[in-house]
Amino acid sequence: MQVTANSVLRCAQRTLDLSRAHVMGILNVTPDSFSDGGRYNTLEAALQRAIEMHSAGASLIDIGGESTRPGAAKVGVQQELDRVAPLVELIARECDVVVSVDTSSPEVMTETARLGAGLINDVRALQREGALAAAAATGLPVCLMHMRGEPQTMQDEPHYADVAAEVAEFLQARVAACVQAGISTDRIILDPGFGFAKNTQHNYELFKRLPELLNLQYPLLVGVSRKSMIGHILNQPVDQRLYGSLALAVMALERGAKILRVHDVEQTMDVLKIFNAVQSSAKE
Ligand code: PT1
């Protein structure tokens, strides 16, 4: 097993120093995203938003053409490609940032890698037919996320005997499948999948037990920004979950997360900078 501390993730032309944590800014180009649906639907608006997030300190920009929030509609491969591909190419060219593609489709992986993508972020952990081979062929790092079922139905009474152990077991099995397919261990990131086939109690227990997933020895990505696990505690709508999101950002960093997938880059960067100041303040 590789050691994650001080390691560098090679993302096509760019690299990510994983001895420190990073912010991944979310750029949804779906008309039905849960928090910013339809807002960045023109190439110009989306590029502006990417530049804004990069200037605010995002090391990665995650571009998604399929909404995977609970109950979201399915999207065809061609439509997903039409939404995502031009933007990947544009942002990879215009911004010095790792372009992450939030996709489960092998065709989208192959095409966006050709256009400059630096990371494949798959909420289905490369389980779709052909995805393992396509991802392996790109040579890009992959983020494997835990989910059960499909977004349409995943919130129908999820059940776990031990949520952290079962998520870890699933991720471990997907790592094995990746290695089998020729994806080297230094190109793997893991994600517990907050809000995916988990009720609020599952989400908080999993969050509390994040350090157990560190035992798998891979960098962890955490995505909780504006999610309903925050709304359920605070009774706040999606556009008023910033402070709740920042509270979880602090705790995710404290628990060893290396990448925070967020909507509010500028505010999360403040959290990250303060965290880093504490971390580097004295010898261990
Ligand atoms: C995530 C993630 C993602 N989340 C990764 N990719 C979404 N790697 C999309 C809610 O409960 O956490 N990690 N791509 C967005 N999905 C959701 C899920 C949005 C649940 C909202 C909720 O509100």
Side-chain angles (χ1 to χ4, degrees), residues 23-224:
V23 165
M24 167 189 269
I26 301 169
L27 187 55
N28 283 313
V29 287
T30 56
D32 59 343
S33 158
F34 85 106
S35 77
D36 48 13
R39 202 176 306 169
Y40 307 112
N41 270 352
T42 67
L43 266 186
E44 304 85 87
L47 176 63
Q48 276 319 305
R49 179 66 186 141
I51 291 171
E52 196 173 277
M53 291 195 288
H54 178 240
S55 311
S59 305
L60 310 100
I61 307 265
D62 191 42
I63 304 178
E66 178 205 12
S67 177
T68 50
R69 77 181 199 291
K74 289 195 178 182
V75 59
V77 170
Q78 192 55 50
Q79 187 174 28
E80 195 189 339
L81 256 182
D82 292 344
R83 284 176 182 172
V84 162
L87 199 51
V88 169
E89 185 174 29
L90 188 63
I91 295 175
R93 193 179 67 215
E94 300 291 327
C95 293
D96 184 21
V97 70
V98 174
V99 177
S100 161
V101 184
D102 194 341
T103 189
S104 299
S105 148
E107 294 88 346
V108 176
M109 294 171 192
T110 305
E111 180 63 5
T112 55
R114 195 179 67 78
L115 297 172
L119 176 76
I120 294 167
N121 171 29
D122 185 3
V123 300
R124 295 178 183 81
L126 305 178
Q127 291 180 100
R128 205 173 261 179
E129 172 118 48
L132 275 170
T138 66
L140 295 178
V142 297
C143 177
L144 307 172
M145 197 197 78
H146 174 270
M147 167 165 65
R148 271 186 189 168
E150 280 290 312
Q152 289 71 28
T153 54
M154 66 184 178
Q155 294 307 99
D156 303 349
E157 294 197 47
H159 174 84
Y160 299 87
D162 182 332
V163 66
E166 288 167 52
V167 166
E169 190 179 353
F170 170 88
L171 292 174
Q172 185 82 76
R174 294 315 298 158
V175 167
C178 283
V179 170
Q180 190 81 29
I183 300 171
S184 58
T185 54
D186 61 359
R187 289 202 277 132
I188 295 174
I189 297 168
L190 300 181
D191 181 343
F194 291 102
F196 288 88
K198 294 159 193 96
N199 64 28
T200 301
Q201 202 180 329
H202 294 140
N203 284 318
Y204 280 94
E205 179 178 349
L206 188 56
F207 195 97
K208 185 178 186 185
R209 295 173 63 188
L210 218 46
E212 292 175 39
L213 297 179
L214 288 181
N215 293 335
L216 297 172
Q217 304 288 319
Y218 293 91
L220 290 186
L221 185 151
V222 165
V224 290

